[in-house]
Amino acid sequence: MIVNLIALIFLPLLLPGIINKTKAIMVGRKGQSLLQPLFNVVKLLQKGEVLSQTAGSITQYAPILALSATVCSALFIPFFSRNPIIGFKGDFLLFIYLLALAKGVMALAAMDSGSSFEGMGTSREMSYTAFLEPAFMLVIASLIYGGKLLPMAEMFSRHSIDFNEIWSLIVAIMTAMALFIMLLVEAARVPFDDPNTHLELTMIHEVMVLDYSGFSLALIHYSASLKMLIYASLIAHLLLPPNIYLTPLFYIAALIIIAVSIGILESLMARFRMNRNLELVLVPVSISLLVMAALIARNVGGW
Amino acid sequence: MNVGFIILLLALLPALFKRSGWFTALWIAASLVLGYDYARVFFGNDSYSYLLSTPGMLGVIPLGLNKLSAFFGLIFSLGLPLGILYGHFYLKQHHSIGISSHLFWLGVMGISMHGLLWMQHSVLFFMFWELMSLSSFFCVIQDRSHSLKAGLNYLITMQIGAAFLIAGFALNYLHSGSFDFSHFAGMGRLPLMLLLIGFAFKAGFFPFYSWLPQAHPVAPSHVSGIMSGLMIKTGLYGIIALISCNQFTLAEIAIFALIGLLSAFLGVIHCLVESNLKSALAYSSIENMGIIGLGLCIGLLGKLTGHPVMQTLGFVGAMLHTLFHSIFKPLLFYLSGNVLCATGTLNIDELGGLKKKLPVTAKLFLLGVLAISALPLGNGFISEFAILMGSFNGLQNASLPALIISISILAGITFVGALALIAFTKLYAIIFQGEARSSKTIAAKESGIGMLVSPIILGFLVLLTGIFGNLALWFIRPVLGWMNLDPRIINSNLGLHYQSFTVVFSILLLLMGLLWLIRRLYVKEQTNPTWGCGYHLPNPKMQYSSMAYVQPLEYFLKPFILIPHKRELDNAAFPKSLQYSEELKDFLFSLVILPLTKMIDRFLKLFNKIHDGKTSSYIAYSLGFLVLMLIWVLRVAK
């Protein structure tokens, strides 16, 4: 439990660092330090803030609420240890709705300043939510159907990969694929969104926080990376075989592999056209439906 | 009962003399008395019953309460006085004619809503039902200049629903020989379905919902709040009463689930694209009714397949959502009334930037948004959690059709929930945030503390039940016992979870407080104009509009909504003017109901021709009729 709390506090900002480093190496640069995102956040925390004249109190409260909600949703997630800080049957619903709360208040905060660019980003980000939430529900549904209704952390570790059983391979790998695509969308990475884009018209997540600076921006960066860590941890625990020694070490290795693969993906791919993105967001829905259908076919058809 | 209803009838007197204050005071007093009666039946073992003996076929009429009607009675005795209190201040803002008749019909509406809960007899129930439809019609058309058409549409829809009800009651009388509700268990299929359809008209289920988005925008805000939050619950009361004493087959449950999904989905996507605030709220009522219906389906499915956890969670979720919807929907309608009073418009594309002009309204609206989009801290999440947990439990179900129904319900509710989040962030963002989009909001200001009292009470209840889910669970426990649901299952599957919720929410609020404190102490702030991204002189017109906000989803939702657009471009080589207009149309209304009424109209016009106004032709008709009669009589005599 304590180790999970430590992970929750210190790990998030390492992921973007690894991704940036991978991208730099892929294009032959030396790249910034692995800890640069951490330094950035520390620096931002020390700075003052510039607020829009149009903005009201939501602009000030939203990053705080969003961070608190994301941290609370991370309480149910297995990090180093497979025992989460809090876990109860049905915590996955609270998890997904807390993330939705964070997203909702950030959307309102983005609309607060009256900037049309921020409206653009908000409307894109929110429309992805419409398909991501059902996708996550279906992922959970297929895990429950294949096993039992348990706390989320336990459900993910029970379905982790087992090389002796072909069904476990199918479920774990397919679900991990669906979660990986959801990670790319939620963390605003290529091919859905490019964090390094230079034109506001093409941004999604970055444009929502255009008017933020200082302390609030630090909180926003931190909660975005925390969200990425949450999804990466779920994938990691799905792909780690059960009952191995030194789970924390393997977990760290899995996180690094995920971050490096995101970096490689970003180096090799361009961003998709904006209006085709929603179709791609539907992919996790279809993958999870496929897993569900396969499991039903196994149970009902007696495979 | 007696005292409460006598006070309610007394309240009609000051209504006739336009004494709105006395009317409100008497209503609050009567609601306290009636609420006490309901609470005694609901929480205790008392059961009020009176027997009225009447001559003829009506027989002995039982008047009384059971746990279910007492539950709805408690909802009404909380919601109605708050609505009337709000209406008292709202009507002061809108100096208009016909206050006395409006108050009178408002009183009659409330009396009939309370009254029908006491009637355990189908004929008397139907009388109060009709009285409720009629009086609410008069309440809707308070401002006759632009509400008459929508009001008539409402009245006619209700009459069609009432026709189904009366047919159902009559068939059931033929079947069981009794008007008494206690003999309704195990009734015939046909009357059961007719009654369910009749109640579905009032509750606003697909495909009978088209009156809601028309009647609500034109009705005064307190009436929309009462109708949407409380009156459509009477339809639900009928449906739940019927469901709890009858068995359903799998095919029927599948149809109910489909209807629920369609109501929820169509409701929310229309809410998404609607630009009239109150229409959008009306569509969201349809969505919420759909969610309650889905909860009931989960419950029925669990009952049918012998899965007690699923049954319990489904019914509990539906009852909780019924309770919560009657809290947060009136809240949103009253606040939209505040917006209307302050700006004189409900078109959200003309609003904007109201958060600084109506600060309290804006904050309370945020609570409503939290609740209605089922976000944690709001109470909508508590009830949707129960329904979703019910369907997740159904995944362990052995039978394939039941499994498929559970999966589609849980995916459907999540999808609808996410769309509701988009719809309500849009409403809030366009109305309250950014800069004013038109001159209408310039003079806007809060219209007095009176119009905030009811919303503040409701907003407090939203937060209270949202954070302490167990409180709401404790409140509805008696009605769950009445539905034969096992309290141990409720405790281990919901009660414990709601406790954990409270713990997590306290962590959340603590963390928030801590961060806020740090921010308050250490962060220096300065203000500047919104960054224009290199564009000089951005103006409020450039802000994101309501249609632009939902544009990315339009591609997927286009097949389900009807937005005819008109484009006028003069044909010159260099066109000088371009006009473009589009309008959201309810496809159910414009593609099904309007053509249907036109067909009926055309059929009736056939008889118009014989009506030519000449005395001689009327005499000829009577002569012809007499001759026909003569022939008929002679043939029969033979």
Side-chain angles (χ1 to χ4, degrees), chain B residues 349-368:
Chain B
D349 282 320
E350 290 178 340
L351 299 169
L354 286 180
K355 64 174 183 258
K356 289 193 173 154
K357 287 168 177 152
L358 309 174
V360 186
T361 303
K363 288 189 178 84
L364 289 169
F365 202 94
L366 205 55
L367 284 183

Side-chain angles (χ1 to χ4, degrees), chain B residues 279-290:
Chain B
S279 284
L281 290 178
Y283 276 119
S284 126
S285 284
I286 299 164
E287 175 225 330
N288 281 292
M289 286 296 121

